[in-house]
Amino acid sequence: MTDTTLAARGVALDLLRDVLRKSVPFDDAFDAHPDLAGLEPRDRGFVRLLVATVLRRLGQIDELIQSCLAKPGLPKAAIHDMLRLGTAQLVFLNTPAHAAVDTAVELAAARNAAPYKGLINAVLRRIGREGPALAAQQDAGRLNTPDWMWLSWRTAYGTAKARGIVEAHLHEAPLDLTVKADPAAWAERLEATLLPTGSLRRPSGGSVTELPGFDEGAWWVQDLAASLPAKLFGDLAAKRVFDLCAAPGGKTAQLVAQGASVTALDRSAKRLERVTENLKRLRLEAELVATDAATWEPEGGPADAVLLDAPCSATGAVRRHPDILRVKTPDDIAKLAKAQGRLLARAVDLVKPGGTLIYCTCSIQPEEGEAQISRLLARDGRVERWPVTPAELGGLSEPINEKGEVRSLPGMLADLGGIDGFFVARLRRRPE
Ligand SMILES: C[S@@+](CC[C@H](N)C(=O)[O-])C[C@H]1O[C@@H](n2cnc3c(N)ncnc32)[C@H](O)[C@@H]1O
C-alpha cells in the first residue's frame, strides 16, 4: 500500500469518528481535516465516497459485521470503524478483496491497533466471501434508517411512502443546476436533461467547477426541490424582496435573476461571505445584512415579497448528506421548530398587505412544515394560503398536497431521477 492510500484511509477513519461520535456534520469535518489538502484530488474524492457510503449504509454494514464476528459483541469504536470502512469497500464499492483487507490491516498497524490485525483480517475476509450475498437479502432501506426517523415518516406519510423515502436514500442524488437564463441552450451545452420545472439534471460525480458556464456564472448547483420556492413568486421585476435566511445564496440568486431588488439576511456573517462569493461569480447583486431576522427592523418598512427558507433538520436532503441520518436527533427537531415559529411570526410583519410570503424547509418532518403553517394560520388572520398549482411546477402534481402546499419526498418523481424532500407554503398577506 502506498503512503497516500494509507493517508486517505486514515482521513476516512477520522471523519467517521467526527460524524458518528462527535456529531460534526460531514462537510464541516471534511473541510476542517488538516491532511486532506495533501491528498490528490482522486484520493480526496475517494475519501468522500467511502465515508458517505459507510454513513448511507451503516445499518447494513453493522449487521454484516455482527454476523461475521466469531464472538458476539462489537470491538472498540476505532476498530469497529476500520471494519466499517473495509466492509463498505468490499460490499458496496467493488474494491478488490485483497486491497480492502490489506489496507484495513495496515491502517490498524499505523493507528496503534496492531493486536487487532488478526481479527480485522479474519472478519473482512469472511465479509469479502459472504457479504455481497448476505447484503442482497437485507432490508436495506429500513436497516439504514434510525428507528425514530422511520417511525416519524411512517406516521406522517404511511408505510408505502416511508418505504419510498428510505429506498431513495440508498442512492446518491443527481447533480441539479439552476440557470440564470436560457435553460434549453444550457441543457445542450452541459449535456444535461431539462426538467419540467426548468432545472437541468446531470449524473452525480465529476468536477462542477470544470463544467462549461461555471466561470462565467451562468448557473449554480441547486436541487430541483430547492429551486421551487423562489420560482413560486413569479415575475419579481421592480419588486422589493427580503430573503430572511439567505446563505449560501441559491435562492437569493434566483430572486435577483427574477428581477427583484433583494435584501438578503443571514444571522451568520461567515455564511454570508459565501453569498457574497456566489453572487460575485454569478454577476448578480443584492444588499446583504448579517443579523437575526426575527428582530430585524428594515429601513423603508415591509417588502412586496418575503422568503423564509428557515433553518431546519434537513431530513429531506439525506440523499446528498447521509450524515443527517446519524447527527440529527428528535431534540433537534423540537428546537428547530421553535426557532421556525419565531421567524415565521416575524416574517408576516415584514411583508406588505397584499404581498406574498413563502415559507420553506428542506425537512420532511411535518413539525417543520405543515404544522408550522396550520399553527400560523390559526393564530394570525393577516395571512391566507395561496395554493400552488401543478401548472406552476411544469405540470408536476405529485409533490403538491391537498392544501396546495409543495410537499416533496425522496421517492417521488422516480422516473425523472427523484427529488429532495422539501416543504413550501405560499401565503398572501390580506390587503388592509
Ligand atoms: C436553510 S439555510 C438557507 C439556505 C439558503 N436560503 C439558500 O437557498 O442557499 C438557513 C440559513 O438560516 C440562517 N439562520 C438561522 N437562524 C437565523 C436567524 N434567526 N436569522 C437569520 N438567519 C438565520 C443560517 O445561518 C442558515 O444560513
Side-chain angles (χ1 to χ4, degrees), residues 244-251 266-268 271 291-294 309-311 343:
L244 298 184
C245 292
K251 297 180 193 69
D266 203 282
R267 191 170 61 176
S268 160
R271 284 177 60 82
T291 189
D292 179 350
D309 182 16
L343 284 162

